[in-house]
mmCIF file of all heavy atoms in Angstrom:
data_model
loop_
_atom_site.group_PDB
_atom_site.id
_atom_site.type_symbol
_atom_site.label_atom_id
_atom_site.label_comp_id
_atom_site.label_asym_id
_atom_site.label_seq_id
_atom_site.Cartn_x
_atom_site.Cartn_y
_atom_site.Cartn_z
ATOM 1 N N ALA A 92 9.049 25.545 -10.817
ATOM 2 C CA ALA A 92 8.132 24.816 -9.941
ATOM 3 C C ALA A 92 7.147 25.723 -9.193
ATOM 4 O O ALA A 92 5.956 25.403 -9.118
ATOM 5 C CB ALA A 92 8.925 23.962 -8.960
ATOM 6 N N PRO A 93 7.598 26.874 -8.638
ATOM 7 C CA PRO A 93 6.633 27.724 -7.919
ATOM 8 C C PRO A 93 5.483 28.236 -8.781
ATOM 9 O O PRO A 93 4.390 28.489 -8.285
ATOM 10 C CB PRO A 93 7.499 28.889 -7.415
ATOM 11 C CG PRO A 93 8.880 28.326 -7.347
ATOM 12 C CD PRO A 93 8.972 27.389 -8.525
ATOM 13 N N SER A 94 5.725 28.371 -10.081
ATOM 14 C CA SER A 94 4.685 28.890 -10.979
ATOM 15 C C SER A 94 3.885 27.777 -11.636
ATOM 16 O O SER A 94 2.991 28.054 -12.440
ATOM 17 C CB SER A 94 5.308 29.772 -12.059
ATOM 18 O OG SER A 94 6.183 29.013 -12.889
ATOM 19 N N LEU A 95 4.202 26.524 -11.295
ATOM 20 C CA LEU A 95 3.491 25.378 -11.866
ATOM 21 C C LEU A 95 3.002 24.471 -10.729
ATOM 22 O O LEU A 95 3.439 23.325 -10.593
ATOM 23 C CB LEU A 95 4.405 24.590 -12.813
ATOM 24 C CG LEU A 95 4.968 25.355 -14.023
ATOM 25 C CD1 LEU A 95 6.021 24.507 -14.725
ATOM 26 C CD2 LEU A 95 3.850 25.735 -14.984
ATOM 27 N N PRO A 96 2.077 24.963 -9.912
ATOM 28 C CA PRO A 96 1.676 24.202 -8.722
ATOM 29 C C PRO A 96 0.771 23.010 -8.998
ATOM 30 O O PRO A 96 0.639 22.128 -8.152
ATOM 31 C CB PRO A 96 0.940 25.250 -7.880
ATOM 32 C CG PRO A 96 0.378 26.209 -8.892
ATOM 33 C CD PRO A 96 1.421 26.270 -9.989
ATOM 34 N N THR A 97 0.139 22.983 -10.165
ATOM 35 C CA THR A 97 -0.826 21.922 -10.469
ATOM 36 C C THR A 97 -0.654 21.430 -11.902
ATOM 37 O O THR A 97 0.016 22.066 -12.718
ATOM 38 C CB THR A 97 -2.272 22.435 -10.313
ATOM 39 O OG1 THR A 97 -2.489 23.487 -11.280
ATOM 40 C CG2 THR A 97 -2.533 22.956 -8.905
ATOM 41 N N VAL A 98 -1.299 20.301 -12.195
ATOM 42 C CA VAL A 98 -1.319 19.807 -13.573
ATOM 43 C C VAL A 98 -1.998 20.828 -14.485
ATOM 44 O O VAL A 98 -1.546 21.072 -15.612
ATOM 45 C CB VAL A 98 -2.049 18.458 -13.659
ATOM 46 C CG1 VAL A 98 -2.156 17.996 -15.112
ATOM 47 C CG2 VAL A 98 -1.326 17.406 -12.839
ATOM 48 N N ALA A 99 -3.077 21.420 -13.994
ATOM 49 C CA ALA A 99 -3.803 22.409 -14.807
ATOM 50 C C ALA A 99 -2.904 23.579 -15.181
ATOM 51 O O ALA A 99 -2.972 24.082 -16.315
ATOM 52 C CB ALA A 99 -5.029 22.906 -14.045
ATOM 53 N N SER A 100 -2.047 24.000 -14.263
ATOM 54 C CA SER A 100 -1.151 25.121 -14.564
ATOM 55 C C SER A 100 -0.135 24.732 -15.629
ATOM 56 O O SER A 100 0.223 25.537 -16.489
ATOM 57 C CB SER A 100 -0.432 25.582 -13.288
ATOM 58 O OG SER A 100 0.419 24.565 -12.782
ATOM 59 N N VAL A 101 0.315 23.478 -15.602
ATOM 60 C CA VAL A 101 1.244 23.000 -16.631
ATOM 61 C C VAL A 101 0.553 22.968 -17.989
ATOM 62 O O VAL A 101 1.100 23.427 -18.993
ATOM 63 C CB VAL A 101 1.781 21.598 -16.279
ATOM 64 C CG1 VAL A 101 2.617 21.042 -17.425
ATOM 65 C CG2 VAL A 101 2.610 21.649 -14.998
ATOM 66 N N LEU A 102 -0.659 22.419 -18.020
ATOM 67 C CA LEU A 102 -1.397 22.338 -19.278
ATOM 68 C C LEU A 102 -1.686 23.725 -19.840
ATOM 69 O O LEU A 102 -1.661 23.928 -21.063
ATOM 70 C CB LEU A 102 -2.707 21.576 -19.061
ATOM 71 C CG LEU A 102 -2.565 20.096 -18.688
ATOM 72 C CD1 LEU A 102 -3.935 19.493 -18.391
ATOM 73 C CD2 LEU A 102 -1.875 19.317 -19.795
ATOM 74 N N HIS A 103 -1.948 24.677 -18.957
ATOM 75 C CA HIS A 103 -2.228 26.044 -19.406
ATOM 76 C C HIS A 103 -0.958 26.713 -19.937
ATOM 77 O O HIS A 103 -0.978 27.344 -20.997
ATOM 78 C CB HIS A 103 -2.807 26.854 -18.247
ATOM 79 C CG HIS A 103 -3.089 28.278 -18.596
ATOM 80 N ND1 HIS A 103 -4.116 28.643 -19.447
ATOM 81 C CD2 HIS A 103 -2.471 29.435 -18.227
ATOM 82 C CE1 HIS A 103 -4.131 29.965 -19.582
ATOM 83 N NE2 HIS A 103 -3.138 30.462 -18.852
ATOM 84 N N ARG A 104 0.142 26.546 -19.202
ATOM 85 C CA ARG A 104 1.376 27.219 -19.588
ATOM 86 C C ARG A 104 2.018 26.619 -20.826
ATOM 87 O O ARG A 104 2.685 27.327 -21.601
ATOM 88 C CB ARG A 104 2.376 27.161 -18.426
ATOM 89 C CG ARG A 104 2.058 28.079 -17.261
ATOM 90 C CD ARG A 104 2.463 29.514 -17.555
ATOM 91 N NE ARG A 104 3.898 29.637 -17.727
ATOM 92 C CZ ARG A 104 4.772 29.732 -16.723
ATOM 93 N NH1 ARG A 104 4.345 29.680 -15.471
ATOM 94 N NH2 ARG A 104 6.059 29.874 -16.976
ATOM 95 N N LYS A 105 1.841 25.314 -21.046
ATOM 96 C CA LYS A 105 2.540 24.677 -22.170
ATOM 97 C C LYS A 105 2.061 25.188 -23.516
ATOM 98 O O LYS A 105 2.776 25.089 -24.517
ATOM 99 C CB LYS A 105 2.400 23.159 -22.093
ATOM 100 C CG LYS A 105 1.073 22.587 -22.558
ATOM 101 C CD LYS A 105 1.069 21.079 -22.444
ATOM 102 C CE LYS A 105 -0.232 20.469 -22.970
ATOM 103 N NZ LYS A 105 -0.390 20.651 -24.414
ATOM 104 N N ALA A 106 0.852 25.737 -23.545
ATOM 105 C CA ALA A 106 0.329 26.264 -24.807
ATOM 106 C C ALA A 106 1.056 27.540 -25.224
ATOM 107 O O ALA A 106 1.082 27.883 -26.408
ATOM 108 C CB ALA A 106 -1.167 26.533 -24.675
ATOM 109 N N ARG A 107 1.688 28.221 -24.250
ATOM 110 C CA ARG A 107 2.344 29.498 -24.552
ATOM 111 C C ARG A 107 3.840 29.496 -24.287
ATOM 112 O O ARG A 107 4.541 30.398 -24.748
ATOM 113 C CB ARG A 107 1.699 30.619 -23.720
ATOM 114 C CG ARG A 107 0.216 30.836 -23.983
ATOM 115 C CD ARG A 107 -0.338 31.884 -23.042
ATOM 116 N NE ARG A 107 -0.195 31.475 -21.646
ATOM 117 C CZ ARG A 107 -0.451 32.267 -20.604
ATOM 118 N NH1 ARG A 107 -0.822 33.505 -20.807
ATOM 119 N NH2 ARG A 107 -0.303 31.808 -19.378
ATOM 120 N N ASN A 108 4.296 28.500 -23.547
ATOM 121 C CA ASN A 108 5.697 28.476 -23.135
ATOM 122 C C ASN A 108 6.381 27.248 -23.728
ATOM 123 O O ASN A 108 6.036 26.112 -23.392
ATOM 124 C CB ASN A 108 5.777 28.451 -21.596
ATOM 125 C CG ASN A 108 7.199 28.584 -21.094
ATOM 126 O OD1 ASN A 108 8.064 27.793 -21.422
ATOM 127 N ND2 ASN A 108 7.436 29.598 -20.269
ATOM 128 N N ARG A 109 7.353 27.476 -24.599
ATOM 129 C CA ARG A 109 8.025 26.376 -25.287
ATOM 130 C C ARG A 109 8.762 25.473 -24.317
ATOM 131 O O ARG A 109 8.755 24.240 -24.463
ATOM 132 C CB ARG A 109 8.997 26.933 -26.332
ATOM 133 C CG ARG A 109 9.716 25.858 -27.146
ATOM 134 C CD ARG A 109 10.562 26.484 -28.237
ATOM 135 N NE ARG A 109 11.242 25.460 -29.035
ATOM 136 C CZ ARG A 109 12.435 24.958 -28.720
ATOM 137 N NH1 ARG A 109 13.069 25.391 -27.646
ATOM 138 N NH2 ARG A 109 12.989 24.035 -29.485
ATOM 139 N N GLN A 110 9.383 26.063 -23.302
ATOM 140 C CA GLN A 110 10.137 25.271 -22.335
ATOM 141 C C GLN A 110 9.222 24.312 -21.572
ATOM 142 O O GLN A 110 9.558 23.135 -21.382
ATOM 143 C CB GLN A 110 10.846 26.209 -21.345
ATOM 144 C CG GLN A 110 11.821 25.511 -20.410
ATOM 145 C CD GLN A 110 12.521 26.479 -19.479
ATOM 146 O OE1 GLN A 110 12.157 27.664 -19.392
ATOM 147 N NE2 GLN A 110 13.529 26.009 -18.773
ATOM 148 N N VAL A 111 8.064 24.810 -21.170
ATOM 149 C CA VAL A 111 7.104 23.971 -20.456
ATOM 150 C C VAL A 111 6.545 22.905 -21.394
ATOM 151 O O VAL A 111 6.371 21.742 -21.004
ATOM 152 C CB VAL A 111 5.964 24.824 -19.864
ATOM 153 C CG1 VAL A 111 4.890 23.927 -19.223
ATOM 154 C CG2 VAL A 111 6.515 25.806 -18.834
ATOM 155 N N ARG A 112 6.270 23.282 -22.631
ATOM 156 C CA ARG A 112 5.727 22.325 -23.600
ATOM 157 C C ARG A 112 6.709 21.178 -23.841
ATOM 158 O O ARG A 112 6.316 19.999 -23.857
ATOM 159 C CB ARG A 112 5.403 23.017 -24.915
ATOM 160 C CG ARG A 112 4.756 22.069 -25.953
ATOM 161 C CD ARG A 112 4.358 22.792 -27.216
ATOM 162 N NE ARG A 112 5.490 23.230 -28.010
ATOM 163 C CZ ARG A 112 5.917 24.489 -28.090
ATOM 164 N NH1 ARG A 112 5.305 25.444 -27.426
ATOM 165 N NH2 ARG A 112 6.958 24.815 -28.836
ATOM 166 N N LEU A 113 7.976 21.506 -24.019
ATOM 167 C CA LEU A 113 8.973 20.469 -24.263
ATOM 168 C C LEU A 113 9.141 19.563 -23.039
ATOM 169 O O LEU A 113 9.308 18.348 -23.173
ATOM 170 C CB LEU A 113 10.316 21.105 -24.639
ATOM 171 C CG LEU A 113 10.353 21.835 -25.994
ATOM 172 C CD1 LEU A 113 11.715 22.480 -26.206
ATOM 173 C CD2 LEU A 113 10.038 20.871 -27.129
ATOM 174 N N ALA A 114 9.085 20.155 -21.854
ATOM 175 C CA ALA A 114 9.196 19.357 -20.627
ATOM 176 C C ALA A 114 7.996 18.429 -20.480
ATOM 177 O O ALA A 114 8.137 17.265 -20.068
ATOM 178 C CB ALA A 114 9.302 20.276 -19.410
ATOM 179 N N TRP A 115 6.812 18.930 -20.825
ATOM 180 C CA TRP A 115 5.604 18.109 -20.759
ATOM 181 C C TRP A 115 5.680 16.946 -21.745
ATOM 182 O O TRP A 115 5.394 15.803 -21.394
ATOM 183 C CB TRP A 115 4.382 18.975 -21.037
ATOM 184 C CG TRP A 115 3.094 18.220 -21.140
ATOM 185 C CD1 TRP A 115 2.420 17.886 -22.279
ATOM 186 C CD2 TRP A 115 2.325 17.690 -20.058
ATOM 187 N NE1 TRP A 115 1.283 17.185 -21.980
ATOM 188 C CE2 TRP A 115 1.193 17.057 -20.624
ATOM 189 C CE3 TRP A 115 2.476 17.694 -18.672
ATOM 190 C CZ2 TRP A 115 0.224 16.425 -19.843
ATOM 191 C CZ3 TRP A 115 1.501 17.070 -17.891
ATOM 192 C CH2 TRP A 115 0.396 16.440 -18.482
ATOM 193 N N GLU A 116 6.067 17.246 -22.967
ATOM 194 C CA GLU A 116 6.165 16.193 -23.989
ATOM 195 C C GLU A 116 7.217 15.159 -23.590
ATOM 196 O O GLU A 116 7.030 13.950 -23.804
ATOM 197 C CB GLU A 116 6.509 16.817 -25.338
ATOM 198 C CG GLU A 116 5.383 17.674 -25.919
ATOM 199 C CD GLU A 116 5.804 18.435 -27.164
ATOM 200 O OE1 GLU A 116 7.015 18.399 -27.490
ATOM 201 O OE2 GLU A 116 4.942 19.072 -27.802
ATOM 202 N N SER A 117 8.318 15.612 -23.012
ATOM 203 C CA SER A 117 9.359 14.703 -22.560
ATOM 204 C C SER A 117 8.865 13.836 -21.408
ATOM 205 O O SER A 117 9.183 12.633 -21.334
ATOM 206 C CB SER A 117 10.594 15.501 -22.126
ATOM 207 O OG SER A 117 11.602 14.648 -21.631
ATOM 208 N N ALA A 118 8.084 14.432 -20.505
ATOM 209 C CA ALA A 118 7.535 13.679 -19.374
ATOM 210 C C ALA A 118 6.602 12.574 -19.861
ATOM 211 O O ALA A 118 6.660 11.438 -19.371
ATOM 212 C CB ALA A 118 6.802 14.621 -18.423
ATOM 213 N N LEU A 119 5.749 12.908 -20.820
ATOM 214 C CA LEU A 119 4.845 11.891 -21.369
ATOM 215 C C LEU A 119 5.633 10.759 -22.010
ATOM 216 O O LEU A 119 5.298 9.576 -21.844
ATOM 217 C CB LEU A 119 3.893 12.524 -22.392
ATOM 218 C CG LEU A 119 2.891 13.552 -21.882
ATOM 219 C CD1 LEU A 119 1.898 13.903 -22.989
ATOM 220 C CD2 LEU A 119 2.155 13.062 -20.654
ATOM 221 N N GLN A 120 6.678 11.116 -22.745
ATOM 222 C CA GLN A 120 7.506 10.095 -23.393
ATOM 223 C C GLN A 120 8.187 9.218 -22.340
ATOM 224 O O GLN A 120 8.252 7.989 -22.493
ATOM 225 C CB GLN A 120 8.549 10.765 -24.284
ATOM 226 C CG GLN A 120 9.372 9.778 -25.097
ATOM 227 C CD GLN A 120 10.320 10.476 -26.070
ATOM 228 O OE1 GLN A 120 10.507 11.687 -26.013
ATOM 229 N NE2 GLN A 120 10.914 9.716 -26.958
ATOM 230 N N ASP A 121 8.673 9.833 -21.280
ATOM 231 C CA ASP A 121 9.335 9.072 -20.216
ATOM 232 C C ASP A 121 8.382 8.057 -19.581
ATOM 233 O O ASP A 121 8.793 6.956 -19.204
ATOM 234 C CB ASP A 121 9.849 10.007 -19.125
ATOM 235 C CG ASP A 121 11.023 10.870 -19.593
ATOM 236 O OD1 ASP A 121 11.587 10.573 -20.673
ATOM 237 O OD2 ASP A 121 11.358 11.829 -18.881
ATOM 238 N N LEU A 122 7.118 8.453 -19.470
ATOM 239 C CA LEU A 122 6.136 7.598 -18.797
ATOM 240 C C LEU A 122 5.400 6.671 -19.758
ATOM 241 O O LEU A 122 4.580 5.852 -19.324
ATOM 242 C CB LEU A 122 5.117 8.479 -18.059
ATOM 243 C CG LEU A 122 5.696 9.311 -16.902
ATOM 244 C CD1 LEU A 122 4.634 10.265 -16.367
ATOM 245 C CD2 LEU A 122 6.224 8.419 -15.798
ATOM 246 N N GLY A 123 5.680 6.789 -21.049
ATOM 247 C CA GLY A 123 5.017 5.930 -22.028
ATOM 248 C C GLY A 123 3.586 6.341 -22.315
ATOM 249 O O GLY A 123 2.765 5.508 -22.712
ATOM 250 N N LEU A 124 3.291 7.612 -22.133
ATOM 251 C CA LEU A 124 1.938 8.122 -22.344
ATOM 252 C C LEU A 124 1.874 8.985 -23.599
ATOM 253 O O LEU A 124 2.890 9.441 -24.110
ATOM 254 C CB LEU A 124 1.488 8.945 -21.132
ATOM 255 C CG LEU A 124 1.397 8.210 -19.795
ATOM 256 C CD1 LEU A 124 1.209 9.211 -18.658
ATOM 257 C CD2 LEU A 124 0.264 7.197 -19.816
ATOM 258 N N SER A 125 0.649 9.227 -24.063
ATOM 259 C CA SER A 125 0.416 10.106 -25.207
ATOM 260 C C SER A 125 -0.537 11.218 -24.791
ATOM 261 O O SER A 125 -1.196 11.142 -23.746
ATOM 262 C CB SER A 125 -0.183 9.330 -26.385
ATOM 263 O OG SER A 125 -1.513 8.939 -26.084
ATOM 264 N N SER A 126 -0.625 12.245 -25.623
ATOM 265 C CA SER A 126 -1.554 13.337 -25.337
ATOM 266 C C SER A 126 -3.000 12.844 -25.352
ATOM 267 O O SER A 126 -3.849 13.355 -24.621
ATOM 268 C CB SER A 126 -1.376 14.465 -26.359
ATOM 269 O OG SER A 126 -1.590 13.981 -27.682
#
């Protein structure tokens, strides 16, 4: 959480970090959203 203060930071990190990418994809699925 301290290294992901904004949505932009999540979007930036998910391109290089598998853990963040999987969490992002899971969050979208939980909310019924798509990329």
Side-chain angles (χ1 to χ4, degrees):
S94 64
L95 300 171
T97 63
V98 176
S100 64
V101 174
L102 294 175
H103 178 70
R104 287 281 296 278
K105 78 179 183 67
R107 299 176 299 172
N108 186 302
R109 182 175 181 272
Q110 188 179 10
V111 175
R112 183 176 70 255
L113 292 177
W115 174 257
E116 292 172 353
S117 178
L119 295 189
Q120 185 175 11
D121 291 347
L122 295 173
L124 298 169
S125 70
S126 58

